[in-house]
Amino acid sequence: MKTKDLLRELENMLTKDQINTDEEDLYDASADRYKKYAKVRRVLDVPKPQAIVYPNTAEEVSKLLKFCNENKINVIPRSGKTATEGGLENWKEETIVIDAKNLNKTIKIDEYNMQATVQAGVVLGELEEELRKRGYTTGHSPQSKPVAKMGGLVATRSIGQLSTLYGGIEDMVVGLECVFPDGHISRIKNVSRRAGGPDIRHIVIGNEGALCYITEVTVKLFKYFPENNEFHGFLVKDMDTGIKVLREVMVNGYRPSVARCYSEEDAKQHFYHFYKDHCVVIFMAEGNKEIAEATGKGIEMAAEKFKEGIVEKVDSGLLEEWFENLNWSQQDIDDEYEGMLENDSHTGFTTEVSGDWETIIKIYHNVMKRIKEEYHRVEDLTLLGGHSSHSYINGTNMYFVYNYEIHCAPEDEMRVYHHPMQRIIVEETLKLGGSMCHHHGIGKFRNEWTKEEHGSAYYMLEKLKESFDPNNIMNFGTIYPQEEGEKYQK
Amino acid sequence: MKKCLIYAGNENAKEAVDLIEAVDHLYGQVNTRIYGFGDPKVLKSLEGYFDVLIRDEGSELQKNDMKFDIINITNCLEELYQAYDFDSILIPANYVGRMVAPRLSIRLETGLVADVTAIESDGENIELIRPAYSGKLMAAIRNRGRGPLMMSVRQNVFQWEKLRVEKSQWKKFPFKNIEASEVTLLWTEGQEAMEDIRESEILIAGGGGTARYFDELEDLAEALQGRVAASRKIIDQEIAPRSIQVGQSGKTISPKLYIAIGISGAIQHIEGLKNLDHLIAVNKKRHAPICSIADLVVEGDGKEFIEKLLRRIHRKDQEK
Amino acid sequence: MKIICLVKFIPDVENIQFDKKKNVLMRENAKLTVNPDDETALAAALKVKELAPDTSVEIVTMGPKGVTRKFQDLLRRDVDKGILISDALYVGSDTYATSRILGAYLKTQQADCIFTGTHSLDGDTSHVPAQIAEILGIPQMNNVITLDMDQLLQGKALLQVNSEGDTLHFQMNLPGIISFEKSREYKMPYIRYEDFQRDVSDKIKIFSNEDLQLKEEEVGLTGSLTEVSRTFMKEVSKKDSITVKNDDEGIERVYQFLKEKGYL
């Protein structure tokens, strides 16, 4: 549909100030943090959306989706804009972005029943702040917390730094409300648990905007005891020891909120002041006093068991200091943009995977070996490392990080640097049966492997898409591979 | 007895006088006769330090602007060598010297060592020490040529203050080999105020903790003849412009002295510091990462630090 | 107009490792890069070519044949010809011998202008450009920041030079050697993805001593008039950081530190 006509139709559904056609905003909306360097250098290769709209209610979202569905217009659901895998990138000429900016009310904070209900456009950091005043927390603490909003956090099955205790978003969501392409509004009620057929929340949690639009979420509350936080850290000989220590803590039933193991190079970035060229293991025990103390003891016992692999203990004052400075802010993001303009280097690209205890360490070593041997730009890498940051009783994740100096045209940066790295990491992970995407979502840039990731179960994902979004208008290219979009991926 | 020629090429007489210490290191107790040649205005200030001061006879040199005429300077030095047969020739490693010395070494078919920082000599075996690989490595070099020992030396590496003779002998030399100049100086733009913090050798940087007294950093910078820089947190609060931001996404700097006040030292800031000689960290938190890489850590409030240090510095000046 | 650009490949000075036992730099595994000043010089030459496409830009380097891959990367940027001067006899040449070798090649060429860097990050003597100029009997200037390209194409070299903080403007006669210092003014163009593997071997010519015909005693270690008798690491005092407080004693310590190190 021509933009002129589109805008006229939109004006029938919304007021003028709910429609944004500013050129700069549209350029900004055409890609997310995945192509941050190309965006800053103004060499994006993708089309701009035609408009950004800000619905005020779920009914307005319903009208919009119905309209787009009938007219085959691509819809990009958006809230906090912190996506890192191309989930917000636009691959269609006819597209609108539906932004949750006006869906920003905190509807209810229910302290007795330990639940908080908010609309999709509420900033997690702001919700957290309000809760902490009352002595509570959501327990969800991704690095993007100060900026990310609830809709996106649920849509991407996000996870936070304290997940080892509180779980990922899927453990925190109680009920929610979402809208489907045919306009249908579904409200999943808030109950503590039920066996009412399959758990349909999981169609929505993690759909990455490819099936529906989330308008409201209810999450659990936890009591907040920051005064009981205990930090424990160790320098260890190698990643194998580090992973073993993490496993020991987990299988014995302890739930520290933070459980991490950094490889040497990765450790250097964060802990240059005490890592002494070793891998670093960090724990934080949190919760009410008795639990925090017991968890601390459990950590010490795990360390004791593997003491031949442990070089020394780290002063907890140092860890506390580090932890306080961990999160992003909008300023961090802006500053990063400025920095990329001035200097020709890329800070921090990542590919994060998961596996069971046995597999994850194999994946780590295979990836490191293969990159050092095969990667054609290994000379330009200024950092190559990995860290485990989310543990479970039956495994953990591995977050590979890499920085590089850019010695090529900005338009070529991704295909020269990140894509070949990502390919190696994904291939090695899938080979050993791990998952290629622990918490960032598939987005658009790992969709080439979606089928391999799910194997015979892909059938179930495919059917969901066929049923809920038969016209393929929801976030074209996300999760489900599309031949038409390949030109933007290579 | 050893004869040395020191070229006193630009307006800085001290640069030439200081090279006498280098000669001293070369020959130790052996008698030396030191000749000076160069800019006529400078020669006067060398009186009493040099044994012989050479000026041109025909004032040919004054006719052209000799200051940047590399080829003619080389011609003159060659003529002097042919007349006096020096054992060594020392040239200050300034802009002009760095172009003259290599040319002269080709003319005289002798080895040349640039940027000498130290000399090891027992009179016969002489080793000239210089840095290589951006200062990571020191090399000891010997001359294998049959010509004179030649070296260029940077300012302030050597020092000399003692007068050596009661009266220098002045000689007039008839230079014959002056050619038409191939290079003409059109105009000069003076020393620009060092706008860029990357140019400064001394930086006083303020972090988030200095927000309420950031202006006071300028006082300390002035006292130390340095410049003020800032970490990102200060820039974010719009207390200072982005042009003085140090860090991964700001500027990368290599000052000699970096005083970091109220800066925690996150890797993004540290990445902007390359090859600094000395770091003083002033911080209330001794666990701040930056303390681990500092030469000197002052545990305390930055404002108090600045005020007390300034008082100490000025007290010394008053005592003078 | 014919411009010849001299380029030196140096080991990665930032990250090079020192073998403490053998007392040598571990050069074998150090990655080679183009000396930054020289890269600026080549970028400037390519800029001239952009203005006047019939300009011919030739790069010349001296070194082991192992530099070929990096050399090819330079040629992929619209450089017309690449000369690699390589011979076992030349190994160990100091700046004097190196200048003789490069001078011998350049004497056979009719360049209107020779572009070079001013200093290299490894040797950092700045000898070679001036010495080559002496051998060829032409003028040369260091630390060039900008060059008036329109004037250059008309045969005049108008140079802006950085002399210890002052900016000086010179006119130099051509033919001459223009030695650049690293600057953001001239940046190398990018090689596009499609061009990464383009075959440029037909642009490369290798010159050995058979071509240059220099006497053995003029080159290599024998022909060097300086020799490195030994190398050593600079005494780096361990960072034993001292912690003081904001009291009189502490401030005095800071004051003395500043004085000792020459900042006051």
Side-chain angles (χ1 to χ4, degrees):
Chain A
M1 181 177 282
K2 284 217 184 71
T3 307
K4 211 165 24 95
D5 302 318
L6 170 67
L7 291 176
R8 209 191 16 216
E9 295 292 334
L10 291 175
E11 279 166 30
N12 287 338
M13 294 182 263
L14 309 165
T15 61
K16 273 224 164 78
D17 60 350
Q18 287 178 281
I19 306 171
N20 182 355
T21 49
D22 175 82
E23 282 303 308
E24 267 313 302
D25 290 343
L26 291 180
Y27 179 77
D28 178 59
S30 42
D32 58 30
R33 292 178 57 71
Y34 189 76
K35 289 188 177 159
K36 57 188 176 182
Y37 185 67
K39 192 191 269 193
V40 146
R41 297 245 160 214
R42 313 293 298 197
V43 291
L44 285 177
D45 56 346
V46 290
K48 295 203 289 266
Q50 293 166 293
I52 305 168
V53 293
Y54 308 99
N56 294 333
T57 62
E59 285 68 35
E60 281 181 3
V61 174
S62 169
K63 267 194 239 156
L64 286 165
L65 287 186
K66 200 148 176 281
F67 165 74
C68 289
N69 193 26
E70 280 161 15
N71 293 286
K72 312 280 202 307
I73 297 172
N74 186 31
V75 171
I76 298 180
R78 185 176 89 171
S79 57
K81 285 171 70 177
T82 56
T84 59
E85 302 295 330
L88 293 177
E89 192 168 306
N90 179 33
W91 283 2
K92 286 275 198 181
E93 296 293 338
E94 293 174 12
T95 300
I96 63 165
V97 173
I98 302 184
D99 189 305
K101 191 172 77 151
N102 293 343
L103 297 169
N104 58 1
K105 293 178 213 29
T106 301
I107 295 176
K108 184 173 186 193
I109 296 182
D110 185 346
E111 292 178 39
Y112 193 73
N113 292 310
M114 300 297 273
Q115 284 167 177
T117 304
V118 292
Q119 289 189 313
V122 168
V123 175
L124 172 60
E126 288 171 19
L127 172 61
E128 250 321 279
E129 221 180 287
E130 180 55 42
L131 291 173
R132 293 212 182 163
K133 279 190 219 150
R134 307 177 189 208
Y136 299 99
T137 176
T138 56
H140 198 45
S141 183
Q143 255 185 310
S144 55
K145 180 162 68 178
V147 184
K149 297 181 182 174
M150 297 307 288
L153 290 168
V154 173
T156 54
R157 264 181 89 85
S158 59
I159 206 163
Q161 296 148 18
L162 312 172
S163 69
T164 306
L165 170 59
Y166 296 104
I169 193 73
E170 67 275 14
D171 302 299
M172 301 165 171
V173 170
V174 183
L176 56 85
E177 179 187 80
C178 63
V179 187
F180 286 90
D182 63 1
H184 186 87
I185 303 176
S186 283
R187 186 166 197 82
I188 303 179
K189 68 185 179 188
N190 298 330
V191 279
S192 47
R193 198 228 180 232
R194 67 174 157 184
D199 193 338
I200 47 178
R201 293 176 304 174
H202 288 289
I203 295 174
V204 182
I205 304 173
N207 85 95
E208 298 183 40
L211 299 176
C212 60
Y213 190 97
I214 299 170
T215 50
E216 191 187 292
V217 172
T218 300
V219 290
K220 295 179 196 168
L221 296 183
F222 300 89
K223 271 203 170 163
Y224 188 52
F225 308 97
E227 67 278 9
N228 297 332
N229 287 351
E230 269 186 34
F231 288 92
H232 299 257
F234 310 93
L235 300 184
V236 297
K237 288 205 181 115
D238 49 30
M239 284 297 271
D240 300 64
T241 307
I243 299 286
K244 287 200 186 115
V245 173
L246 291 178
R247 179 184 174 279
E248 186 68 16
V249 171
M250 296 307 294
V251 306
N252 283 313
Y254 296 99
R255 301 283 292 268
S257 55
V258 174
R260 295 180 170 221
C261 173
Y262 287 83
S263 73
E264 297 87 341
E265 265 191 72
D266 200 355
K268 185 173 178 189
Q269 294 194 87
H270 298 272
F271 315 115
Y272 68 86
H273 50 310
F274 64 76
Y275 86 115
K276 298 183 188 166
D277 292 321
H278 290 295
C279 298
V280 176
V281 171
I282 295 181
F283 292 99
M284 179 160 93
E286 186 178 324
N288 76 41
K289 190 156 171 296
E290 287 74 18
I291 293 183
E293 275 175 17
T295 309
K297 286 211 190 82
I299 293 166
E300 292 295 330
M301 286 194 292
E304 180 60 30
K305 181 161 178 198
F306 291 99
K307 60 175 182 227
E308 330 80 60
I310 293 188
V311 176
E312 71 181 53
K313 208 165 173 320
V314 176
D315 183 337
S316 48
L318 290 165
L319 297 171
E320 205 173 331
E321 176 70 35
W322 165 75
F323 197 72
E324 269 169 32
N325 297 309
L326 201 45
N327 290 338
W328 297 352
S329 65
Q330 186 56 49
Q331 286 154 344
D332 285 309
I333 297 174
D334 294 338
D335 181 64
E336 191 189 21
Y337 271 37
E338 291 294 316
M340 286 192 282
L341 266 177
E342 283 185 25
N343 311 305
D344 274 336
S345 64
H346 203 156
T347 59
F349 235 115
T350 63
T351 301
E352 33 69 51
V353 303
S354 65
D356 59 35
W357 294 112
E358 213 180 331
T359 315
I360 202 70
I361 190 68
K362 287 188 194 150
I363 293 173
Y364 172 79
H365 287 302
N366 289 355
V367 165
M368 289 299 169
K369 182 165 183 285
R370 204 173 141 191
I371 289 176
K372 288 182 185 141
E373 287 171 6
E374 253 181 63
Y375 184 58
H376 66 136
R377 287 281 173 141
V378 71
E379 290 174 354
D380 292 337
L381 289 177
T382 54
L383 170 79
L384 173 63
H387 62 266
S388 155
S389 41
H390 305 277
S391 284
Y392 311 90
I393 199 147
N394 55 352
T396 185
N397 78 321
M398 185 57 65
Y399 203 114
F400 290 100
V401 294
Y402 32 97
N403 299 349
Y404 41 78
E405 282 174 6
I406 300 176
H407 292 303
C408 70
E411 303 91 310
D412 292 332
E413 182 227 346
M414 295 308 256
R415 60 184 82 109
V416 172
Y417 291 101
H418 172 58
H419 290 169
M421 288 283 267
Q422 181 179 255
R423 175 173 298 276
I424 291 175
I425 296 169
V426 169
E427 282 177 5
E428 290 306 310
T429 303
L430 292 177
K431 241 190 246 179
L432 291 174
S435 169
M436 67 174 182
C437 42
H438 174 260
H439 67 272
H440 279 171
I442 295 179
K444 296 184 171 67
F445 292 91
R446 281 186 277 198
N447 70 9
E448 146 180 11
W449 295 284
T450 306
K451 294 187 187 157
E452 211 183 316
E453 167 72 26
H454 289 283
S456 57
Y458 182 70
Y459 165 85
M460 295 159 76
L461 270 183
E462 233 179 343
K463 290 291 178 195
L464 284 172
K465 185 71 167 171
E466 276 171 31
S467 319
F468 292 116
D469 185 24
N471 293 331
N472 206 354
I473 60 151
M474 294 302 283
N475 211 346
F476 180 83
T478 294
I479 298 180
Y480 303 90
Q482 305 288 346
E483 206 182 306
E484 196 189 312
E486 275 172 23
K487 57 181 184 270
Y488 301 120
Q489 286 175 297
K490 292 297 167 205
Chain B
M1 198 210 14
K2 300 288 185 184
K3 282 192 281 190
C4 311
L5 173 65
I6 295 180
Y7 177 61
N10 71 15
E11 279 107 40
N12 192 342
K14 185 174 185 306
E15 234 184 337
V17 172
D18 282 342
L19 292 187
I20 296 178
E21 191 195 1
V23 176
D24 191 54
H25 282 285
L26 281 173
Y27 302 118
Q29 299 303 325
V30 176
N31 252 334
T32 52
R33 198 161 162 74
I34 304 183
Y35 295 66
F37 163 69
D39 190 321
K41 302 183 213 89
V42 179
L43 291 179
K44 292 206 182 75
S45 316
L46 305 182
E47 172 69 58
Y49 295 101
F50 284 63
D51 296 280
V52 182
L53 292 167
I54 302 173
R55 325 178 15 181
D56 69 297
E57 184 180 66
S59 299
E60 279 299 317
L61 305 184
Q62 260 88 303
K63 285 208 192 119
N64 310 331
D65 182 353
M66 277 287 284
K67 194 161 169 214
F68 293 99
D69 194 340
I70 312 295
I71 296 182
N72 278 324
I73 296 172
T74 311
N75 291 342
C76 291
L77 293 174
E78 188 188 13
E79 280 192 63
L80 287 174
Y81 174 76
Q82 279 156 357
Y84 292 99
D85 194 25
F86 300 108
D87 296 284
S88 53
I89 301 180
L90 289 76
I91 298 182
N94 49 37
Y95 181 67
V96 166
R98 293 189 110 215
M99 288 185 279
V100 167
R103 281 190 187 259
L104 188 59
S105 79
I106 294 272
R107 295 270 183 102
L108 305 185
E109 287 181 46
T110 192
L112 165 66
V113 182
D115 300 331
V116 171
T117 51
I119 296 173
E120 305 222 344
S121 161
D122 61 10
E124 283 310 312
N125 295 311
I126 301 176
E127 275 183 338
L128 301 174
I129 318 272
R130 68 174 306 267
Y133 286 89
S134 289
K136 287 190 160 68
L137 191 66
M138 302 303 284
I141 321 263
R142 276 208 292 253
N143 179 24
R144 291 174 79 232
R146 273 168 297 144
L149 186 69
M150 273 194 68
M151 71 178 88
S152 72
V153 187
R154 286 203 202 242
Q155 230 180 10
N156 296 327
V157 167
F158 295 104
Q159 314 276 358
W160 190 267
E161 286 182 10
K162 244 173 38 184
L163 289 168
R164 293 172 64 255
V165 292
E166 240 201 75
K167 212 169 140 25
S168 304
Q169 199 182 44
W170 286 79
K171 287 205 194 221
K172 284 201 183 151
F173 193 93
F175 289 103
K176 296 196 179 52
N177 207 0
I178 310 293
E179 309 167 16
S181 182
E182 302 257 31
V183 175
T184 319
L185 173 66
L186 299 173
W187 83 93
T188 310
E189 278 170 53
Q191 276 271 4
E192 253 180 37
M194 287 186 295
E195 289 296 333
D196 199 329
I197 54 169
R198 282 175 287 212
E199 308 296 318
S200 186
E201 293 195 328
I202 298 179
L203 286 172
I204 319 294
T210 63
R212 57 194 164 89
Y213 56 87
F214 190 77
D215 291 332
E216 292 185 37
L217 270 73
E218 184 59 49
D219 298 329
L220 183 56
E222 217 180 291
L224 293 171
Q225 294 180 307
R227 288 194 69 76
V228 173
S231 80
R232 233 204 70 212
K233 294 217 176 81
I234 290 289
I235 310 300
D236 285 345
Q237 293 174 62
E238 298 186 6
I239 296 175
R242 218 200 133 76
S243 56
I244 65 166
Q245 178 180 331
V246 173
Q248 209 172 38
S249 56
K251 295 198 161 74
T252 300
I253 52 170
S254 306
K256 292 209 165 95
L257 173 67
Y258 193 70
I259 302 185
I261 306 181
I263 292 180
S264 68
I267 191 74
Q268 292 86 350
H269 184 83
I270 300 302
E271 291 274 299
L273 304 176
K274 289 236 178 304
N275 302 326
L276 39 81
D277 290 354
H278 299 109
L279 192 155
I280 300 179
V282 182
N283 206 304
K284 285 190 230 180
K285 297 195 180 154
R286 65 185 175 86
H287 280 139
I290 199 166
C291 298
S292 68
I293 55 169
D295 295 281
L296 196 48
V297 173
V298 180
E299 199 182 326
D301 178 63
K303 185 169 152 78
E304 206 186 319
F305 168 79
I306 295 175
E307 286 165 1
K308 284 191 173 167
L309 183 58
L310 278 172
R311 242 179 286 149
R312 179 69 185 84
I313 295 174
H314 292 315
R315 190 185 86 209
K316 185 73 182 176
D317 288 345
Q318 282 168 1
E319 276 168 24
K320 272 204 191 132
Chain C
M1 168 160 261
K2 177 171 174 173
I3 302 178
I4 296 186
C5 192
L6 299 183
V7 169
K8 184 179 183 191
F9 289 94
I10 57 172
D12 179 6
V13 167
E14 279 300 306
N15 298 308
I16 200 157
Q17 305 284 357
F18 191 75
D19 184 337
K20 293 199 179 89
K21 281 189 228 113
K22 292 196 199 138
N23 213 29
V24 285
L25 275 174
M26 302 199 293
R27 257 181 275 224
E28 313 77 47
N29 296 323
K31 56 178 187 171
L32 288 175
T33 51
V34 180
N35 182 40
D37 280 12
D38 302 3
E39 202 174 71
T40 302
L42 179 53
L46 291 173
K47 191 102 190 284
V48 175
K49 188 165 182 193
E50 212 183 290
L51 286 173
D54 57 349
T55 308
S56 117
V57 173
E58 176 184 307
I59 50 177
V60 176
T61 193
M62 186 173 114
K65 297 211 179 62
V67 301
T68 319
R69 217 198 76 208
K70 295 263 169 183
F71 201 54
Q72 287 177 345
D73 266 346
L74 293 180
L75 287 165
R76 289 186 179 108
R77 275 122 155 166
D78 209 18
V79 171
D80 299 289
K81 209 161 102 180
I83 307 292
L84 170 56
I85 299 179
S86 186
D87 197 303
L89 280 176
Y90 298 162
V91 175
S93 297
D94 70 352
T95 53
Y96 195 100
T98 303
S99 303
R100 265 213 189 106
I101 296 164
L102 291 169
Y105 170 74
L106 291 167
K107 266 202 190 130
T108 66
Q109 304 297 307
Q110 246 83 39
D112 295 294
C113 206
I114 299 173
F115 285 15
T116 72
T118 296
H119 76 113
S120 66
L121 290 184
D122 58 350
D124 191 14
T125 58
S126 299
H127 287 175
V128 171
Q131 288 180 327
I132 294 179
E134 182 59 34
I135 292 174
L136 298 178
I138 55 181
Q140 179 259 350
M141 291 305 268
N142 273 347
N143 295 97
V144 174
I145 337 171
T146 50
L147 165 66
D148 188 324
M149 302 210 165
D150 296 309
Q151 289 294 311
L152 183 75
L153 290 165
Q154 294 184 35
K156 263 202 333 215
L158 292 180
L159 315 172
Q160 210 178 326
V161 145
N162 170 20
S163 163
E164 278 133 6
D166 288 332
T167 304
L168 309 176
H169 296 254
F170 287 102
Q171 178 173 337
M172 184 177 84
N173 290 352
L174 292 177
I177 299 186
I178 301 179
S179 301
F180 291 83
E181 76 172 18
K182 175 177 152 140
S183 121
R184 284 160 209 260
E185 183 77 31
Y186 305 111
K187 287 189 89 170
M188 288 288 278
Y190 296 114
I191 309 178
R192 288 311 304 267
Y193 188 69
E194 314 79 64
D195 271 342
F196 281 169
Q197 302 298 330
R198 182 156 60 101
D199 182 17
V200 289
S201 45
D202 58 340
K203 291 194 195 181
I204 303 180
K205 265 183 95 167
I206 303 187
F207 272 63
S208 69
N209 201 37
E210 266 185 51
D211 306 288
L212 296 180
Q213 295 282 312
L214 288 159
K215 300 197 199 89
E216 257 187 66
E217 58 267 20
E218 287 181 314
V219 300
L221 284 169
T222 346
S224 298
L225 295 188
T226 57
E227 74 176 349
V228 179
S229 53
R230 63 193 167 93
T231 55
F232 53 96
M233 289 276 277
K234 205 156 71 159
E235 276 298 312
V236 177
S237 46
K238 240 192 136 239
K239 276 244 153 116
D240 276 333
S241 85
I242 309 165
T243 305
V244 299
K245 294 221 157 46
N246 242 350
D247 50 22
D248 286 341
E249 202 190 307
I251 297 292
E252 185 62 32
R253 187 81 188 72
V254 175
Y255 179 82
Q256 290 304 330
F257 179 89
L258 293 172
K259 203 147 180 279
E260 257 171 64
K261 310 293 179 185
Y263 296 115
L264 280 174

